[in-house]
C-alpha cells in the first residue's frame, strides 16, 4: 500500500514540475513500502529522495525566476526549511539503521500534499495568468 497516490489534485499545470513531483512520490512510496526492512537499502532510498528534492527545488526555483514569480524569495525559504528538516530526518534514519519513523512519513505526506496544493499552486496560478499550460 503506497504512502500516497498521485491524483489530479496534485496537478499544478506545469508539466516538468508534475513529472518531478511524480518521481518524488514514487521514491517516497518505495521508502514507505520498504520501511519494515530497514538497513542500507532504505538509507540509499532516503539519500536518493534527498538528492531528487535538491534537484527539483533548483529546477522549480529556476522556473519561478523565469516567470518572474513575485513570491520567489519566500518560496525559496520554504524549500530551505524543508531541506533542513529532511536532513534531520535522514540523519535520524541513518542512526536507526535505516528504520524511518512514522513522524518521517507524516512529514512526507504533509510536504507533498500541502506544499504542492498550497504553495506550488501559487506559482502555477501566476504562470497561468501569463499564458497557457507550460511544459517548462
Amino acid at each position: 500500500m503506497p504512502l500516497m497516490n498521485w491524483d489530479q489534485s496534485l496537478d499544478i499545470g506545469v508539466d516538468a514540475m508534475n513529472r518531478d513531483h511524480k518521481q518524488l512520490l514514487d521514491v517516497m512510496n518505495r521508502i514507505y513500502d520498504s520501511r519494515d526492512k530497514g538497513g542500507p537499502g532504505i538509507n540509499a532510498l532516503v539519500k536518493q529522495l534527498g538528492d531528487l528534492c535538491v534537484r527539483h527545488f533548483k529546477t522549480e526555483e529556476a522556473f519561478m525566476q523565469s516567470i518572474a514569480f513575485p513570491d520567489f524569495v519566500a518560496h525559496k525559504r520554504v524549500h530551505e526549511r524543508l531541506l533542513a528538516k529532511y536532513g534531520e530526518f535522514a540523519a535520524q534514519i541513518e542512526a536507526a539503521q535505516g528504520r524511518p519513523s512514522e513522524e518521517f512519513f507524516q512529514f512526507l505526506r504533509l510536504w507533498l500534499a500541502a506544499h504542492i496544493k498550497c504553495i506550488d499552486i501559487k506559482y502555477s496560478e501566476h504562470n497561468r495568468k501569463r499564458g497557457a499550460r507550460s511544459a517548462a
Side-chain angles (χ1 to χ4, degrees), residues 57 61 73 75-85:
F57 289 164
E61 290 166 7
V73 173
H75 196 123
K76 184 174 175 147
R77 270 184 271 173
V78 169
H79 286 170
E80 290 166 356
R81 286 193 302 270
L82 284 169
L83 288 175
K85 186 68 175 169

Side-chain angles (χ1 to χ4, degrees), residues 4 23 33 43 65 70 72 94 101 106 111 115 125:
M4 277 184 70
Q23 188 176 25
D33 290 344
N43 289 330
Q65 287 180 309
F72 169 75
E94 177 96 26
S101 65
Q106 290 172 356
W111 169 65
H115 186 79
E125 289 169 354

Side-chain angles (χ1 to χ4, degrees), residues 48-96:
Q48 179 185 4
L49 181 58
D51 292 345
L52 286 171
C53 288
V54 168
R55 188 192 79 209
H56 168 64
F57 289 164
K58 285 181 182 179
T59 301
E60 193 171 71
E61 290 166 7
F63 177 73
M64 286 187 284
Q65 287 180 309
S66 78
I67 63 170
F69 180 57
D71 292 330
F72 169 75
V73 173
H75 196 123
K76 184 174 175 147
R77 270 184 271 173
V78 169
H79 286 170
E80 290 166 356
R81 286 193 302 270
L82 284 169
L83 288 175
K85 186 68 175 169
Y86 188 84
E88 292 172 16
F89 278 115
Q92 289 172 6
I93 293 166
E94 177 96 26

Side-chain angles (χ1 to χ4, degrees), residues 93-114:
I93 293 166
E94 177 96 26
Q97 289 80 40
R99 298 257 181 226
S101 65
E102 183 54 37
E103 184 183 9
F104 172 68
F105 293 116
Q106 290 172 356
F107 167 76
L108 293 181
R109 280 186 203 99
L110 179 64
W111 169 65
L112 192 68

